[in-house]
Amino acid sequence: MGDIQSLTYHTKKVGAPVDGSNAPNIYVNVYTEPDGVDDTASWYGYRLTLEPYLSRNLMAPADEWVEWSTEPGTNQLTVFDAAKAGVFGFYGQPTLQDLQSGTVNWKQDYGYGADEEIDYASEEVKYIVFDTGSGWADNYEATLTPSNSW
């Protein structure tokens, strides 16, 4: 995880709210390799999720292509680990840079989940998966434009 420089992609939502709230969108799951230390599943170590609606400086106008990125600025993607945070995301969650700069303690740092120090930066990435929810894809358009820095 520590080697990822950034992750950027674009989506276009038909009729979405300007602020992006309550709007389904393409999200990202980053799965790490299981290493036998605190793995949360048999086939992966951790699953880190980046949901657009939980981004910092959220601005996602309807019917326009919107950029989502782990870089600071508008629509900066943030990260949660549902297995360790104990919730499926929250406002004010850490950025990729936060996860790369030292250990995370979900309970002490953010008030949710596990009271343990987790070093995500040392984890090896197994998969980066762009995903959608089910049952809401009518009139939805998206394109993925990955940056060349991950």
Side-chain angles (χ1 to χ4, degrees):
M1 287 290 301
D3 292 334
I4 297 174
Q5 293 178 10
S6 68
L7 175 75
T8 302
Y9 64 100
H10 298 80
T11 63
K12 180 180 179 181
K13 302 267 311 175
V14 175
V18 172
D19 66 0
S21 63
N22 299 318
N25 212 325
I26 290 178
Y27 62 92
V28 179
N29 278 324
V30 177
Y31 294 91
T32 65
E33 287 285 350
D35 59 9
V37 179
D38 198 32
D39 296 330
T40 56
S42 62
W43 62 275
Y44 64 84
Y46 297 105
R47 179 180 61 203
L48 303 169
T49 304
L50 297 81
E51 281 274 13
Y53 77 93
L54 295 170
S55 294
R56 294 188 181 171
N57 306 309
L58 184 61
M59 181 52 73
D63 305 313
E64 293 182 21
W65 289 104
V66 175
E67 180 176 276
W68 306 98
S69 181
T70 56
E71 292 295 319
T74 304
N75 301 323
Q76 181 184 17
L77 293 164
T78 58
V79 183
F80 70 89
D81 178 345
K84 294 298 181 176
V87 294
F88 286 100
F90 55 92
Y91 293 100
Q93 59 193 24
T95 63
L96 174 64
Q97 294 83 352
D98 293 333
L99 267 61
Q100 293 173 326
S101 66
T103 60
V104 171
N105 184 310
W106 292 99
K107 184 69 161 181
Q108 291 181 23
D109 298 340
Y110 301 99
Y112 294 98
D115 187 7
E116 62 183 288
E117 300 295 321
I118 303 172
D119 179 10
Y120 291 104
S122 67
E123 294 291 318
E124 182 179 342
V125 173
K126 181 173 186 159
Y127 302 118
I128 296 176
V129 178
F130 295 91
D131 213 344
T132 63
S134 59
W136 52 257
D138 291 347
N139 298 321
Y140 182 78
E141 297 177 53
T143 189
L144 300 175
T145 307
S147 86
N148 60 6
S149 60
W150 49 291

